[in-house]
Amino acid sequence: MTRFMLGILGFAALSLAEEASASAKNMPAALWDQLNVIWLALSVVIYLIVAVPSLIFMIKYRYKQGEREFGDQEHEGHWGLEALWTIVPLIIVIYLATHGFAIFKEMRTVPKDALEIKVTAFMWGWEFEYPNGKKVYAFFKQDKDPIKGYTAQEFEKPVLPVGKPIKVSLTSKDVIHAFYLRPAKVTQDAVPGRITYVWFQVNEEGEYWVFCREYCGTWHSRMFAKIKFVPEAEFNQWLGGQAELDKSHRTSQLEHTNIYATKGGALQ
Ligand SMILES: [Cu+2]
């Protein structure tokens, strides 16, 4: 029995460690993972403390004919035990609440050296605007095959530096959308008429999807962008360079929005 329980615990710990290492360095993913490991470990331990004795007592004190049929014992309370099972859970709950709050604060406090970009969500795509005014539009164009899926072209990919905190100031042109970046484990609503924010840091180079995580209409399922995370020097070079295709792409985005407007939202 004990070996079995230890096996389950070991397995849980291993899979947790694996999950945590995948995003260990990214922020705020690392904070979420930390919370997840602590809460899960505590839940498993508490569950075992309750479930194992219950099972043992169920078997040990089950009804047997002629044995303790009318109850043969009077139990006095045990002050030490009462105090123990009141104080220990109290400490655990206080710890979880304060630790959770500290992590929440860290997630909502943007580091001072963060690079700030503006992201405007629209039906159905994303506009990324950099401090120097450079813009990147990422959206699913009609000429793209919806069955084969979406392949982002280079000029449609917003570029960001790795290993640097990024602050995204978010808003929306039409309805409520939500910005979700998988490796950083962040989601934030984009609300029309309001500016919300989210910060994150991705430490591994690569291309990562941004999805809309708030159902927003017909093409919600195709509302994504592909962010390219590159070393800072490469990012600066990209930011300074003029992307020839930006303009044509922007026209295309306006057409896209107009088509949507003239068809009264019935884009198929
Ligand atoms: Cu959306």
Side-chain angles (χ1 to χ4, degrees), residues 73-234:
Q73 287 168 25
E74 282 270 322
H75 284 283
E76 300 257 331
H78 189 294
W79 276 105
L81 215 54
E82 291 279 352
L84 187 77
W85 66 48
T86 306
I87 291 166
V88 171
L90 187 70
I91 291 171
I92 293 176
V93 170
I94 290 173
Y95 163 72
L96 289 179
T98 48
H99 179 249
F101 185 72
I103 282 191
F104 171 74
K105 229 184 132 195
E106 209 176 329
M107 282 176 181
R108 297 306 295 164
T109 311
V110 183
K112 284 202 177 72
D113 58 336
L115 167 80
E116 188 175 345
I117 60 163
K118 289 182 200 160
V119 174
T120 308
F122 56 88
M123 282 165 143
W124 289 275
W126 307 91
E127 179 195 286
F128 289 77
E129 191 183 342
Y130 290 82
N132 65 355
K134 185 169 180 146
K135 284 182 181 176
V136 174
Y137 293 94
F139 60 95
F140 192 97
K141 288 205 291 292
Q142 277 191 301
D143 54 348
K144 281 175 183 159
D145 188 337
I147 309 291
K148 283 184 188 150
Y150 173 88
T151 323
Q153 298 182 60
E154 282 306 300
F155 64 90
E156 294 174 312
K157 293 175 191 166
V159 177
L160 286 173
V162 281
K164 203 176 153 60
I166 315 284
K167 178 188 177 185
V168 169
S169 292
L170 260 182
T171 193
S172 167
K173 272 189 183 149
D174 32 53
V175 298
I176 300 178
H177 303 272
F179 178 95
Y180 168 59
L181 180 64
R182 169 74 178 86
K185 295 189 178 172
V186 278
T187 304
Q188 179 63 53
D189 273 359
V191 185
R194 194 188 286 183
I195 295 166
T196 53
Y197 75 92
V198 65
W199 84 269
F200 53 83
Q201 179 175 327
V202 172
N203 294 312
E204 235 172 281
E205 276 179 57
E207 295 184 357
Y208 304 100
W209 290 108
V210 164
F211 294 108
C212 177
R213 221 181 190 185
E214 182 80 60
Y215 182 66
C216 57
T218 314
W219 275 17
H220 165 67
S221 58
R222 297 174 199 172
M223 187 170 162
F224 30 54
K226 203 167 213 184
I227 299 191
K228 222 170 140 175
F229 281 90
V230 299
E232 203 169 350
E234 200 178 314

Side-chain angles (χ1 to χ4, degrees), residues 29-51:
L31 300 176
W32 281 121
D33 292 340
Q34 196 188 331
L35 269 187
N36 189 29
V37 168
I38 293 169
W39 280 70
L40 193 68
L42 267 172
S43 308
V44 171
V45 170
I46 291 170
Y47 173 77
L48 291 179
I49 290 174
V50 174

Side-chain angles (χ1 to χ4, degrees), residues 11-66:
F11 178 73
L14 267 180
S15 49
L16 272 175
E18 199 175 294
E19 159 77 6
S21 73
S23 52
K25 294 167 237 148
N26 295 341
M27 286 291 273
L31 300 176
W32 281 121
D33 292 340
Q34 196 188 331
L35 269 187
N36 189 29
V37 168
I38 293 169
W39 280 70
L40 193 68
L42 267 172
S43 308
V44 171
V45 170
I46 291 170
Y47 173 77
L48 291 179
I49 290 174
V50 174
V52 174
S54 305
L55 210 64
I56 294 169
F57 293 155
M58 249 194 304
I59 295 163
K60 194 174 173 192
Y61 300 111
R62 70 186 183 279
Y63 173 74
K64 285 182 204 135
Q65 216 176 9

Side-chain angles (χ1 to χ4, degrees), residues 241-266:
Q242 269 299 319
E244 279 302 305
L245 284 157
D246 276 1
K247 274 182 195 157
S248 69
H249 194 59
R250 185 169 186 188
T251 321
S252 172
Q253 187 251 323
L254 292 173
E255 276 167 17
H256 168 88
T257 336
N258 289 340
I259 291 166
Y260 169 67
T262 50
K263 283 192 178 172

